[in-house]
Amino acid sequence: MLSELKTKSKVIGVKQSLKAVRAGRAERVYFAGDADPALLAPIQAQCESDGIRITSVESMAVLGQACGIEVGAAVAVLLKEETICLR
């Protein structure tokens, strides 16, 4: 499942993730198990309200590596694939 974060569209970080979830662009949200729960609470509440799947990852280091970045990440959002409508 984490391999999706390397190949598909995503956002990383608390602020960008919350924006994506609120905008209805999130397919799945990944939380790092060692991230500050207070930071993740607003995103978690929005996900539960909207029925968005949440996946827990061992640590911020593992999540950052899965996203292809060299630093840890508290949260990452796998974005829905956008469809283009041609008329």
Side-chain angles (χ1 to χ4, degrees):
M1 238 187 277
L2 284 178
S3 60
E4 294 177 308
L5 290 171
K6 285 199 178 184
T7 59
K8 294 187 177 181
S9 296
K10 65 190 164 292
V11 294
I12 305 166
V14 175
K15 289 180 184 179
Q16 293 302 317
S17 294
L18 185 56
K19 285 181 186 179
V21 169
R22 285 183 174 160
R25 298 179 57 217
E27 180 178 322
R28 176 179 293 162
V29 177
Y30 294 87
F31 286 154
D34 60 351
D36 182 355
L39 286 175
L40 303 179
I43 301 169
Q44 185 172 5
Q46 189 71 48
C47 288
E48 290 171 357
S49 173
D50 295 347
I52 298 168
R53 293 180 290 174
I54 298 172
T55 301
S56 183
V57 177
E58 180 182 339
S59 67
M60 291 175 59
V62 170
L63 186 54
Q65 185 178 22
C67 291
I69 60 175
E70 294 184 19
V71 296
V75 60
V77 173
L78 183 65
L79 298 173
K80 292 178 182 176
E81 296 202 19
E82 296 184 33
T83 56
I84 298 172
C85 180
L86 300 175
R87 293 181 202 220

